[in-house]
Amino acid sequence: DGGITQSPKYLFRKEGQNVTLSCEQNLNHDAMYWYRQDPGQGLRLIYYSQIVNDFQKGDIAEGYSVSREKKESFPLTVTSAQKNPTAFYLCATRQGWTGELFFGEGSRLTVL
Amino acid sequence: SQQGEEDPQALSIQEGENATMNCSYKTSINNLQWYRQNSGRGLVHLILIRSNEREKHSGRLRVTLDTSKKSSSLLITASRAADTASYFCATDDMDSNYQLIWGAGTKLIIKP
């Protein structure tokens, strides 16, 4: 099946720990995105990548890091520098510069 | 970046009735998109309307766009219980590499 796979679906972290969320796609899309969603709010852009080995900061990049070593993969690391990391994280892809986004099923991170 | 605004924040109607949601935005756009999100899931693309279009239909969905008022509406006709979800509009920001700007969403509940 073509699509976007995010893992894990649920993740618990102790304060001070880094965690990495996985996003893999087999749609052959160039652009990949990470969004954060908090209850009752819209999506906020963390990082995006429009080509392998290149990525750009979004509106709320502080405390997060990414890599794009392969077209299929765009992992997000939530570092200990992110002060309020509990949220729902969504990965998305897009074929070109404009047009619709395709989303994974999300990863819910809870800090204990 | 600026967020779009959706109205109402929540809407509860009886099955079979029509549901109308509105979205306002602030920037010049290339297109406007509507997405649906079931609770705890990823977003699913519903429809895209370009800035030179005024109305678009897809099944029971009807979207209008008024660029002079910087607003759009999504109409779902003959609502079903399965339409219960949150609905988001997103506009691409021509001044920001066409990154999408998201509204906070309308939570729609269809009562059987």
Side-chain angles (χ1 to χ4, degrees):
Chain A
D1 277 0
I4 302 160
T5 302
Q6 287 189 241
S7 62
K9 189 167 178 63
Y10 299 97
L11 185 60
F12 297 90
R13 182 193 106 173
K14 293 181 180 179
E15 283 192 20
Q17 286 182 335
N18 291 356
V19 293
T20 297
L21 308 180
S22 170
C23 179
E24 302 281 330
Q25 58 113 347
N26 61 6
L27 299 173
N28 200 34
H29 287 173
D30 292 312
M32 297 187 74
Y33 305 81
W34 274 105
Y35 288 96
R36 171 180 172 141
Q37 186 178 33
D38 293 284
Q41 296 189 30
L43 278 63
R44 291 186 290 168
L45 183 63
I46 305 172
Y47 269 98
Y48 65 100
S49 168
Q50 289 172 316
I51 195 169
V52 175
N53 291 323
D54 187 50
F55 48 82
Q56 307 296 328
K57 292 182 179 180
D59 300 317
I60 56 165
E62 186 174 350
Y64 300 97
S65 66
V66 293
S67 63
R68 186 86 186 274
E69 297 177 1
K70 300 185 299 182
K71 188 174 185 178
E72 301 79 19
S73 179
F74 191 41
L76 173 74
T77 297
V78 184
T79 75
S80 56
Q82 170 51 238
K83 296 307 176 190
N84 184 23
T86 294
F88 190 52
Y89 291 88
L90 287 156
C91 177
T93 69
R94 183 157 65 172
Q95 176 63 286
W97 287 77
T98 63
E100 68 178 280
L101 292 182
F102 294 79
F103 283 86
E105 286 296 297
S107 292
R108 186 167 300 279
L109 172 63
T110 302
V111 173
L112 303 172
Chain B
S1 57
Q2 297 169 326
Q3 288 281 320
E5 294 181 6
E6 275 139 332
D7 161 52
Q9 290 186 331
L11 180 61
S12 181
I13 61 173
Q14 292 293 139
E15 193 167 20
E17 294 180 339
N18 294 345
T20 299
M21 289 158 269
N22 302 297
C23 168
S24 61
Y25 59 91
K26 298 175 183 176
T27 64
S28 296
I29 64 170
N30 185 50
N31 64 55
L32 183 144
Q33 304 178 43
W34 285 92
Y35 289 79
R36 184 186 74 214
Q37 183 182 34
N38 288 76
S39 183
R41 305 290 297 275
L43 280 74
V44 174
H45 181 262
L46 294 176
I47 198 164
L48 180 153
I49 186 165
R50 302 193 187 284
S51 59
N52 61 353
E53 297 176 312
R54 292 296 167 259
E55 187 170 313
K56 202 162 182 179
H57 297 254
S58 176
R60 292 184 297 114
L61 306 180
R62 173 179 168 249
V63 169
T64 62
L65 178 64
D66 186 335
T67 52
S68 67
K69 295 182 180 177
K70 289 187 164 56
S71 68
S72 173
S73 68
L74 170 67
L75 168 68
I76 303 174
T77 60
S79 63
R80 305 167 182 170
D83 294 329
T84 294
S86 292
Y87 292 82
F88 295 88
C89 70
T91 55
D92 61 346
D93 183 355
M94 294 169 73
D95 296 328
S96 183
N97 265 350
Y98 296 97
Q99 298 317 309
L100 294 184
I101 301 173
W102 296 84
T106 292
K107 187 166 186 176
L108 176 64
I109 297 172
I110 309 299
K111 296 180 286 187

